Amino acid sequence: MPAQCFLGIDLGAESGRVLAGILNENKIELEEIYRFSNGPVPLAGTRRWNVTGLWASILKGLSLAAQKYGNQIISVGVDTWGVDYVLLSEKQEMLGQPYHYRDPRTEGMLDLATSRVPQQEIFDATGLQFMEINTLYQLLAMQQTDPELLDQAKTFLMIPDFFHWLLSGSQVVEFTNATTTQCLNPVTGDWAYEMLRKLEIPTAMLPKLVSPGTKLGSLREEVMQNTGLGKIDVIAPATHDTASAVAAIPTTQTGNPNWAYISSGTWSLMGVEVNSAVLGKRAFELNFTNEGGIDGTYRLLKNIMGLWLVQECKRAFERQGQSMEYSELAEAAASAEAFRSLVDPDDSRFLSPPDMLEAITQFCTETRQPVPETPGQYIRCALESLALKYQKVAGWLEELTGTPLEVIHIVGGGTKNELLNQFTANACQIPVIIGPVEATGLGNVLVQARAAGAVSSLSEIREIVLNSVETSRYEPQEKSVWEEAIQRFNNLINNATVDL
């Protein structure tokens, strides 16, 4: 069979890409066709997504792909982050510029929701962890501040579904991204209608749910004219970027929760793959989440603040006139004193601070720790704290599944941070396998390939990735030193001051 090309549109919090996945026999080659910037747009005191600007960049990338691969192209599909959405009116007009999940409008909405519906009942109905960025609280905020606009909504689409609508005219929501909303019932596999009605959130706007690999239609005529592409299929991959990334983890243990993953980037999403949602009292107490995966699987996971801490420190250094590359920051961190200062990465003050350095300083001051003074000390604080949080989450995963973890796979852009990779192995005291960096893009295009009949199963997807990419392995070191740090970190996140 001649090589086939599948186009993946991968939108992240900092950048977007149009990718070409070239499948030839039992190997996949991923090529970046076009990269463009992304990020929150400040707009009259709010944070929004520039989706029209993203669409213009997508069209340019698709044009370049058409020029290079032409008739080899079989299909196209989009993956993005979760929780954010677009509302369309009866006449198919966008109702406002879509909000960014870090917009402050959701502050206090979790408390409002649980005053109407008990927290345990919300968890039982959705299986999702409680974070004020969730779609549920965004919709509740809109209900409070702009009910007239919400009432006009005919169709609710998640961000990747919105771009699929622009590509093909489809108006559905794909399962994996829907599970990030805290509006979907993992038992029924449908929207949590009863809970939403109790919260007085309209449900008529919620469209049909579809599974990863669903054919949504063919390209609109105008898209073909603007890009030079032919009448190719538009396929919904696993549209949540982490679901696509997990699909491309090169494990031979599909169906066994004895391995964990960390999708490492702006956020760190750490979890295991299970065959059904893990609900119950303990999962609720630990605030775990159940997000959808391929073939009806669930990703039992925790959202951890991730390399956002490092990214925001870098921006703060630049505002101070210290412009440093990530490699320079990692080198400075490697030579800094170990365990001088630690933070809880998931403390709310780190979600969207005006200045990350000030937020870390405040945390260290309140917990009676030395305040970082140099770039290396700030970055080492962030990286060690992340690794220690991974260790905590790994223990909770073992408790919830009853299965010891034997290995952790780290995928995504964060795999380039070698210091964090080693810290993770040290903290968790199990081997860490790194790669692929481009797991999300690979998962996207290989789910499309399966929809086209070129790949047969999730296991085969992972076998192809294993044949196609190089991985590296980190073995645990310095056990006793990290055991002491774990105890100190546990005291810290239990709201105790730290004994130095």
Side-chain angles (χ1 to χ4, degrees):
M1 179 182 292
Q4 296 174 297
C5 178
F6 303 90
L7 300 182
I9 299 167
D10 173 37
L11 302 180
E14 287 193 305
S15 64
R17 290 104 42 83
V18 174
L19 306 165
I22 311 302
L23 183 63
N24 195 356
E25 296 182 349
N26 204 30
K27 288 189 175 182
I28 185 82
E29 180 181 347
L30 198 66
E31 178 187 355
E32 183 177 291
I33 301 294
Y34 184 59
R35 178 183 286 267
F36 44 93
S37 63
N38 190 23
V41 178
L43 190 65
T46 67
R47 290 188 179 194
R48 310 287 183 122
W49 292 109
N50 181 12
V51 291
T52 53
L54 290 174
W55 177 238
S57 296
I58 288 168
L59 289 175
K60 181 174 180 179
L62 293 178
S63 298
L64 294 172
Q67 292 170 27
K68 184 162 187 178
Y69 288 105
N71 293 333
Q72 283 182 265
I73 299 171
I74 305 298
S75 63
V76 61
V78 183
D79 70 79
T80 77
W81 62 94
V83 307
D84 290 333
Y85 61 89
V86 177
L87 297 179
L88 299 180
S89 72
E90 181 83 38
K91 295 184 177 180
Q92 309 293 290
E93 291 286 343
M94 271 201 313
L95 294 173
Q97 193 78 0
Y99 280 91
H100 187 286
Y101 58 81
R102 294 190 194 275
D103 185 85
R105 69 185 177 138
T106 58
E107 291 175 6
M109 290 301 108
L110 199 158
D111 289 339
L112 177 60
T114 54
S115 72
R116 295 180 178 180
V117 179
Q119 199 164 359
Q120 178 76 62
E121 185 176 334
I122 294 175
F123 182 79
D124 291 343
T126 64
L128 214 72
Q129 66 187 334
F130 290 86
M131 301 177 68
E132 283 197 322
I133 65 172
N134 292 349
T135 315
L136 179 63
Y137 310 114
Q138 295 197 42
L139 290 171
L140 197 57
M142 194 171 192
Q143 178 207 75
Q144 296 297 298
T145 60
D146 210 347
E148 296 85 3
L149 200 62
L150 190 59
D151 288 342
Q152 293 178 47
K154 171 67 174 177
T155 307
F156 165 96
L157 297 173
M158 305 293 287
I159 296 294
D161 306 306
F162 169 72
F163 288 112
H164 284 146
W165 171 66
L166 290 175
L167 287 165
S168 69
S170 69
Q171 291 191 355
V172 296
V173 172
E174 187 275 324
F175 168 70
T176 64
N177 219 312
T179 61
T180 72
T181 62
Q182 208 164 21
C183 298
L184 184 134
N185 188 312
V187 177
T188 66
D190 203 352
W191 299 107
Y193 291 111
E194 183 178 353
M195 182 206 69
L196 292 169
R197 290 188 189 107
K198 288 181 179 180
L199 292 171
E200 301 175 7
I201 291 173
T203 59
M205 64 182 177
L206 299 174
K208 175 185 174 183
L209 294 160
V210 299
S211 301
T214 298
K215 180 180 175 180
L216 304 177
S218 301
L219 283 185
R220 290 177 186 257
E221 187 69 34
E222 66 189 61
V223 177
M224 290 190 284
Q225 292 175 359
N226 286 328
T227 63
L229 288 167
K231 202 173 184 64
I232 63 172
D233 290 334
V234 179
I235 303 292
T239 61
H240 188 224
D241 49 14
T242 307
S244 276
V246 172
I249 288 174
T251 179
T252 59
Q253 297 294 313
T254 295
N256 192 335
N258 65 348
W259 57 277
Y261 58 83
I262 301 173
S263 181
S264 180
T266 300
W267 290 89
S268 290
L269 291 91
M270 183 176 187
V272 293
E273 188 175 77
V274 292
N275 292 320
S276 58
V278 177
L279 305 173
K281 183 179 179 182
R282 188 56 177 154
F284 166 69
E285 290 172 347
L286 294 174
N287 199 26
F288 264 74
T289 202
N290 292 272
E291 294 180 357
I294 303 296
D295 294 345
T297 59
Y298 275 85
R299 293 170 289 118
L300 176 66
L301 63 84
K302 267 279 194 186
N303 280 59
I304 303 167
M305 203 70 77
L307 289 170
W308 166 254
L309 296 169
V310 174
Q311 293 164 1
E312 287 300 292
C313 282
K314 182 176 184 290
R315 290 190 185 96
F317 295 142
E318 289 170 351
R319 288 195 296 270
Q320 295 177 354
Q322 300 182 80
S323 183
M324 301 176 72
E325 299 296 326
Y326 283 117
S327 58
E328 295 175 295
L329 291 172
E331 185 177 342
S335 61
E337 179 185 348
F339 307 117
R340 184 176 186 271
S341 313
L342 299 172
V343 299
D344 179 359
D346 294 323
D347 187 277
S348 60
R349 78 191 76 200
F350 301 130
L351 179 63
S352 189
D355 188 297
M356 185 63 76
L357 305 183
E358 290 181 5
I360 291 174
T361 294
Q362 182 187 53
F363 187 99
C364 291
T365 301
E366 290 179 6
T367 52
R368 302 179 188 174
Q369 299 180 87
V371 172
E373 298 174 350
T374 67
Q377 289 174 355
Y378 275 105
I379 301 304
R380 183 152 191 143
C381 169
L383 297 180
E384 288 177 338
S385 299
L386 280 174
L388 290 164
K389 193 59 180 276
Y390 297 161
Q391 187 276 336
K392 190 73 174 173
V393 172
W396 288 332
L397 287 167
E398 291 178 334
E399 177 186 350
L400 290 172
T401 64
T403 304
L405 294 177
E406 299 175 7
V407 66
I408 296 173
H409 289 265
I410 302 182
V411 297
T415 58
K416 298 174 185 178
N417 195 309
E418 296 180 4
L419 191 59
L420 180 57
N421 296 337
Q422 186 62 63
F423 285 171
T424 302
N426 294 352
C428 297
Q429 284 298 300
I430 54 176
V432 167
I433 296 176
I434 303 301
V437 175
E438 296 288 1
T440 297
L442 288 168
N444 180 322
V445 297
L446 284 169
V447 168
Q448 292 183 57
R450 192 174 79 162
V455 181
S456 64
S457 66
L458 177 57
S459 294
E460 188 179 353
I461 285 175
R462 288 170 169 160
E463 180 184 334
I464 290 171
V465 175
L466 195 58
N467 292 337
S468 306
V469 303
E470 292 185 3
T471 61
S472 56
R473 185 181 177 101
Y474 289 77
E475 297 292 342
Q477 302 172 1
E478 301 178 329
K479 182 177 181 180
S480 60
V481 174
W482 280 85
E483 284 177 342
E484 291 179 12
I486 288 167
Q487 184 59 54
R488 180 176 151 197
F489 184 76
N490 288 339
N491 291 338
L492 186 70
I493 64 174
N494 290 331
N495 297 316
T497 54
V498 180
D499 293 326
L500 299 175

